[in-house]
Amino acid sequence: MNIDNCIDEKLAALDQTLSTNKRIKTFFPDKKACDEPIPYLDVDTQDEICLRMQTGEHITRGATTIAGWLVGVPSSIFFTVFSSFTVLEAALLFFLVLLPLLWDLFSPMPYPVIFNRRTQEVYACFKGELYHIRWDRARAIAYEDYTVNQYSGKTNVGYLEILLQGYNDPDKWIWANLSMPLGRTIEMQSSLWEYLRSYMNNGPWFDEHGNPSESDSYNRQLLTAYRKNTKQRLKEKRANIRSDDSTSRLAYYAFLVWSPMEFLKEWVYAMALKRSVRTWPKEVQERLKPNGPTTSLTELQQAKQT
C-alpha cells in the first residue's frame, strides 16, 4: 500500500467517525503550514543532528524516586539519631531509597518520534517494531474533535499524526501521534508541524518565520518558554518576591525547600533518557551519533530487498 492510499483511507475513516463540524488538514514537507513555528511542550530535545518529540516521561519519570526518598531519607535520619540500624531497617531503606531510583533509571521508556536532519528521515518504534519514513515522502494529518463532560464542559481535542512505514515489513504502515491532543486545535497543530518542517528544511536553527539562522537563540527561547527547569523556576519565584505580598515570599521558600526533589527528578530523567537511546535498534543508534552514517534507513531497506 502506498502513501496516497493510506491517507485516503485515513480521511475516509475520519469522515465517518467525526462530527459534521469536523476539520481536517493534511501537511506536506514542502508546503508551509502556517506563519509561526511553535514547539509548545511537544519538542523534548533539539540539536544539529536530530529532534526528539516529547513522550510525557518528563512529568512521571522520577516520581517513584521522590516518593521513596520522602519516606526513606527522614527514616534514615531518625534511625541514625535515635536508634541503631537493624538488618530489617537497612532492607527497608534499600527498598525505599535505592530500589525506586534503580527502577526510574533502568525501567523501559516509551520511544519518542525522532526527526533526523542528517539522514532526512523520521523514526519511531512501537511494540518492538521499527518504523520510518523519508522526509520528502512524509505526510501528516491534523483533525479536530471534542469531548464533553459535566466537569469541564466542551474540550477541544486536536490530533497531529504522521504516516510511517515498517522497516522490516514495508507493507505495514502506522499513524504515529506527534503531540498531546487534549486542548489542542488544528491551528496549534499547524504551528507544531511548521516548527518540525522548519527544523528539517531550514534548521537546525531558524527564526520566528522559519527562515535559516546562524543563532539558536529563537529556538532556545521557545523551548525554555514552554518548559522551564528547576533553576529557572527558582529565579522566577525569587524575582517575583514583593515586600507587600508575604505569599510570594512563602511560595519562594516553599519551592526552595522542595527544589532538591525537583533537581533529583530532572537528573533521573536526563540519565534515563540518555540510557534509552541505547535501546533503539542499532541502525537508528548509529545514525544518532555525531559522526554517524548519512545513509538512510530507506536506502538500507532497498539494499535488503535487492
Side-chain angles (χ1 to χ4, degrees):
M1 183 182 293
N2 59 35
I3 293 177
D4 293 332
N5 289 339
C6 288
I7 292 179
D8 290 341
E9 286 188 3
K10 183 69 171 181
L11 290 174
L14 289 172
D15 191 58
Q16 294 177 359
T17 58
L18 294 180
S19 66
T20 56
N21 296 323
K22 61 185 174 294
R23 294 201 295 157
I24 305 171
K25 190 174 181 180
T26 306
F27 301 114
F28 303 90
D30 57 346
K31 294 182 180 179
K32 199 173 182 65
C34 64
D35 292 330
E36 188 177 9
I38 303 177
Y40 298 109
L41 291 170
D42 304 299
V43 175
D44 191 8
T45 60
Q46 173 184 345
D47 56 31
E48 292 82 356
I49 299 173
C50 69
L51 179 151
R52 291 180 175 86
M53 301 301 292
Q54 189 61 260
T55 63
E57 284 291 299
H58 69 291
I59 299 175
T60 58
R61 183 68 55 160
T64 305
T65 299
I66 289 178
W69 283 37
L70 285 176
V71 177
V73 172
S75 299
S76 178
I77 295 174
F78 174 82
F79 290 142
T80 301
V81 176
F82 299 104
S83 181
S84 58
F85 277 104
T86 65
V87 175
L88 180 61
E89 292 167 346
L92 178 63
L93 290 178
F94 171 82
F95 282 106
L96 289 175
V97 177
L98 189 57
L99 200 60
L101 177 62
L102 294 176
W103 170 261
D104 279 332
L105 287 175
F106 296 102
S107 61
M109 289 184 68
Y111 290 99
V113 177
I114 295 180
F115 291 76
N116 191 325
R117 285 196 70 253
R118 184 168 54 200
T119 62
Q120 284 292 292
E121 59 186 345
V122 185
Y123 313 130
C125 198
F126 295 101
K127 296 182 178 179
E129 295 186 46
L130 177 61
Y131 296 86
H132 71 111
I133 195 70
R134 206 172 64 200
W135 173 245
D136 60 358
R137 299 181 66 213
R139 301 291 184 269
I141 190 170
Y143 54 95
E144 192 175 286
D145 202 359
Y146 61 87
T147 61
V148 179
N149 61 54
Q150 67 271 34
Y151 304 109
S152 61
K154 180 179 176 180
T155 303
N156 286 329
V157 182
Y159 297 87
L160 176 61
E161 300 174 351
I162 188 171
L163 184 63
L164 300 176
Q165 182 183 31
Y167 176 63
N168 295 313
D169 186 1
D171 293 327
K172 188 174 183 180
W173 297 80
I174 65 166
W175 288 91
N177 195 14
L178 291 177
S179 71
M180 182 181 297
L182 192 64
R184 296 298 177 89
T185 63
I186 281 188
E187 288 75 20
M188 295 174 70
Q189 301 295 31
S190 298
S191 296
L192 175 58
W193 177 259
E194 185 60 24
Y195 190 93
L196 301 174
R197 198 185 74 86
S198 299
Y199 173 80
M200 293 296 283
N201 293 345
N202 304 325
W205 318 118
F206 46 90
D207 61 21
E208 62 271 18
H209 303 295
N211 299 319
S213 173
E214 294 295 328
S215 172
D216 64 351
S217 59
Y218 176 72
N219 304 90
R220 299 302 182 194
Q221 179 183 355
L222 279 181
L223 294 176
T224 301
Y226 287 99
R227 188 172 60 253
K228 296 180 175 65
N229 59 32
T230 303
K231 186 176 180 181
Q232 292 165 334
R233 288 156 64 194
L234 272 172
K235 286 183 177 180
E236 277 191 358
K237 289 185 179 296
R238 183 177 179 84
N240 290 335
I241 293 177
R242 302 198 313 269
S243 57
D244 60 338
D245 184 7
S246 58
T247 305
S248 62
R249 186 176 298 274
L250 179 62
Y252 168 72
Y253 285 116
F255 188 74
L256 183 64
V257 172
W258 178 254
S259 61
M261 294 293 102
E262 292 295 322
F263 281 117
L264 174 64
K265 188 170 179 289
E266 288 178 358
W267 177 82
V268 168
Y269 175 71
M271 293 298 101
L273 182 64
K274 184 176 181 180
R275 187 200 61 80
S276 70
V277 175
R278 297 193 292 270
T279 66
W280 279 86
K282 64 177 182 178
E283 296 92 342
V284 175
Q285 289 187 49
E286 292 172 352
R287 282 154 182 78
L288 297 180
K289 294 178 181 178
N291 298 316
T294 58
T295 54
S296 67
L297 294 186
T298 302
E299 293 172 308
L300 292 182
Q301 190 180 61
Q302 292 171 347
K304 287 172 61 178
Q305 293 174 349
T306 57

